[in-house]
Amino acid sequence: MTSIPPVPTRDELRAHLVRNMIAGEVATPRENNLRHYRRMVAGHPYYQFGLELKPSWTEQTVLEMMVERCGVDPDPRHEFGVDTIDPEITLDTLEAMGDRIGLAARRRENVVIATGHPATLTPLYQAVARALDGAGCRLLTPAAGWTYEIETGHGGSDLRRIVYAPPGVAMLEDDHRTHHTHDPQPMEAMLRELAGTVSADSPEAKPDFWPDLAIADHGWAGAAGQAGIDTVGFADCNDPALFAGAAEGKIDVVVPLDDGVSPQLYAPLTAYILGRAGLRDPG
């Protein structure tokens, strides 16, 4: 378990973000960002994260949106090399995420938490999950063990299943390890199972255990936002779909950051979120 440090000040966290390339100049290359923007615009499902985005997006408007919401370099002639995430946007959205998580705690909401980056972001999500659980929220864990096939190239396929890291963070694994994913299908399966929890005596009512809030990334977040669930999450500068979803009002908060650094480097961000939410990790 990654220990949670004291809550940093905004200035301290800004310095940490830039020093560790979580924001500021980041390792995600510009050419990768632009390629993903083009593929989202082209409607490639892998880059849309389960969101039904408006067809009016163009490469130019996506770049403009990513400048505004993420802080990438605004120069369309900059096609290769280093790109950026504005640390001020990261800090502002971390605060907005903390505010929404704090509201969930005060309301004792139903919450679903999931990550497509289990190798790096799991400790952050687990700390938030423990804090919400300790505050009396219900952590929903539907469709555990649900499986589906993915293509692995050269005509092959592999089986992925939903598993939960304690106390309730969804992710995908095969028989050997957890896996990165962009796919919305797992969250869609979770929501289908939850949709079946309507009381028999009131079939028109809301499901008994429908999420009030989703805390997630990639397709887990996109599918939740598309279903109309309040959704807060994280996205790298090569993940334009979640930012587009926020621009269209389907995602509530998207925190821009490099989502591939060492897990322990997210501990100060975790402390900042929990401090903003008025929560602590009971450990």
Side-chain angles (χ1 to χ4, degrees):
M1 181 188 301
T2 301
S3 60
I4 305 302
V7 179
T9 66
R10 185 174 169 115
D11 287 344
E12 290 169 341
L13 185 55
R14 181 190 300 105
H16 174 82
L17 294 171
V18 173
R19 182 171 60 250
N20 292 287
M21 298 178 69
I22 299 171
E25 291 190 349
V26 295
T28 310
R30 177 69 165 197
E31 55 269 32
N32 182 266
N33 290 344
L34 297 178
R35 181 166 61 249
H36 287 204
Y37 302 172
R38 288 193 295 271
R39 290 175 178 175
M40 189 204 89
V41 168
H44 194 301
Y46 188 76
Y47 299 94
Q48 295 210 324
F49 294 173
L51 288 159
E52 296 175 8
L53 298 171
K54 295 175 181 178
S56 54
W57 288 103
T58 66
E59 291 181 40
Q60 178 181 341
T61 59
V62 170
L63 178 59
E64 291 169 353
M65 178 271 295
M66 290 298 290
V67 171
E68 177 185 357
R69 292 181 174 269
C70 183
V72 300
D73 190 318
D75 185 356
R77 297 167 297 180
H78 176 43
E79 298 181 348
F80 298 94
V82 173
D83 212 338
T84 56
I85 293 174
D86 186 340
E88 296 301 327
I89 299 176
T90 303
L91 291 163
D92 288 345
T93 50
L94 282 170
E95 291 172 3
M97 175 183 280
D99 290 343
R100 183 61 186 86
I101 290 171
L103 180 63
R106 293 191 296 276
R107 291 176 173 174
R108 297 188 174 183
E109 291 182 337
N110 296 335
V111 182
V112 63
I113 304 177
T115 183
H117 269 285
T120 55
L121 294 178
T122 296
L124 187 163
Y125 286 110
Q126 285 181 297
V128 172
R130 288 190 296 266
L132 287 172
D133 184 51
C137 291
R138 179 187 284 116
L139 301 181
L140 302 176
T141 56
W146 179 85
T147 61
Y148 73 117
E149 284 192 353
I150 66 158
E151 295 182 2
T152 57
H154 307 292
S157 66
D158 200 0
L159 201 66
R160 299 284 189 267
R161 72 178 62 86
I162 296 175
V163 295
Y164 285 89
V169 180
M171 60 191 68
L172 292 183
E173 70 170 14
D174 61 13
D175 290 336
H176 307 288
R177 62 185 178 89
T178 58
H179 283 272
H180 169 276
T181 185
H182 283 197
D183 293 347
Q185 292 95 323
M187 178 61 79
E188 291 167 352
M190 291 161 61
L191 297 181
R192 283 196 301 271
E193 180 169 304
L194 291 172
T197 64
V198 176
S199 299
D201 57 351
S202 56
E204 303 302 319
K206 181 181 178 181
D208 294 339
F209 301 111
W210 194 248
D212 300 298
L213 176 65
I215 307 170
D217 53 59
H218 285 182
W220 303 93
Q226 185 63 39
I229 297 164
D230 283 5
T231 301
V232 299
F234 304 96
D236 208 330
C237 52
N238 64 353
D239 292 334
L242 290 189
F243 295 102
E248 293 187 10
K250 294 180 177 179
I251 306 290
D252 293 83
V253 178
V254 182
V255 177
L257 49 68
D258 188 315
D259 52 20
V261 305
S262 298
Q264 67 271 17
L265 294 177
Y266 298 110
L269 286 75
T270 309
Y272 198 74
I273 292 167
L274 294 179
R276 183 77 180 195
L279 297 171
R280 66 179 185 87
D281 177 7

